[in-house]
């Protein structure tokens, strides 16, 4: 009987913690159905994974519970059990997506000469006749 009460208290504390985090970061929607879904995911996947999903949603600029729930469903499909599994996968994904080779083009030597051929030289500006400008200004005064 005492163990059951301790488990219930622990679950209630965990639920309060998640809901306070949820509200603190302005996740939406905030209703009873969402609270129940959070509780269901905590029981199914574990509290650390749910918290990681909420943090992942925040990291990608989303405060939608649906986004976090989609992340959890993806992790469930990939059979991740711990936060370490997720972090290992992120490292692999990061390495795979950032390890693309840098493309360098070979430019033939004649191209530079060809481009210079088509450049138009700038004509020098004629000298400014200051006296003529002063005369024009006097007319408008």
């Amino acid at each position: 009987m005492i163990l059951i009460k301790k488990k219930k208290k622990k679950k209630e504390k965990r639920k309060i913690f998640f809901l306070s985090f949820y509200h603190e970061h302005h996740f939406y929607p905030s209703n009873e159905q969402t609270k129940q879904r959070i509780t269901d995911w905590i029981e199914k996947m574990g509290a650390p994974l749910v918290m990681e999903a909420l943090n992942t949603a925040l990291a990608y600029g989303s405060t939608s519970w649906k986004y976090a729930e989609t992340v959890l469903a993806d992790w469930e499909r990939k059979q991740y059990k711990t936060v370490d599994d997720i972090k290992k996968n992120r490292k692999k994904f990061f390495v795979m997506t950032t390890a693309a080779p840098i493309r360098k083009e070979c430019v033939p030597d004649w191209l530079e000469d060809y481009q210079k051929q088509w450049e138009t030289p700038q004509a020098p500006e004629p000298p400014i006749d200051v006296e003529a400008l002063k005369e024009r200004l006097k007319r408008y005064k």
Side-chain angles (χ1 to χ4, degrees):
M1 187 72 169
I2 294 174
L3 286 175
I4 294 172
K5 286 184 181 180
K6 284 185 180 180
K7 284 184 180 181
K8 282 186 180 181
K9 284 184 182 180
K10 192 174 182 179
K11 282 184 181 181
E12 286 301 314
K13 285 182 183 179
R14 191 177 342 153
K15 185 177 178 181
I16 290 168
F17 172 75
F18 274 100
L19 295 177
S20 66
F21 180 86
Y22 189 86
H23 291 294
E24 182 181 316
H25 292 284
H26 306 289
F27 275 87
Y28 65 92
S30 183
N31 54 32
E32 289 300 318
Q33 181 184 8
T34 306
K35 290 177 186 177
Q36 183 58 46
R37 291 173 87 169
I38 291 171
T39 305
D40 293 344
W41 277 106
I42 290 171
E43 290 174 7
K44 189 188 298 186
M45 297 284 287
L49 289 178
V50 175
M51 181 56 76
E52 188 66 24
L54 292 173
N55 284 326
T56 300
L58 287 175
Y60 284 97
S62 176
T63 55
S64 167
W65 165 248
K66 188 66 178 167
Y67 187 94
E69 193 171 30
T70 303
V71 169
L72 285 167
D74 181 52
W75 292 346
E76 182 182 36
R77 184 179 52 82
K78 292 178 179 176
Q79 298 178 349
Y80 294 150
K81 302 293 182 197
T82 64
V83 176
D84 289 335
D85 294 342
I86 295 163
K87 288 181 179 179
K88 286 176 188 173
N89 183 52
R90 281 185 186 153
K91 285 181 183 177
K92 287 179 186 175
F93 179 76
F94 183 74
V95 169
M96 286 178 7
T97 57
T98 58
I102 298 172
R103 185 175 172 184
K104 293 186 179 182
E105 296 289 332
C106 293
V107 180
D109 296 332
W110 57 264
L111 182 62
E112 190 174 317
D113 296 331
Y114 183 77
Q115 288 175 337
K116 285 181 183 177
Q117 173 186 349
W118 295 104
E119 289 179 0
T120 55
Q122 296 292 330
E125 291 186 20
I128 298 173
D129 186 10
V130 178
E131 293 302 320
L133 286 175
K134 284 182 183 178
E135 289 299 321
R136 277 179 79 181
L137 284 172
K138 283 182 185 178
R139 281 190 243 157
Y140 294 108
K141 287 184 180 180

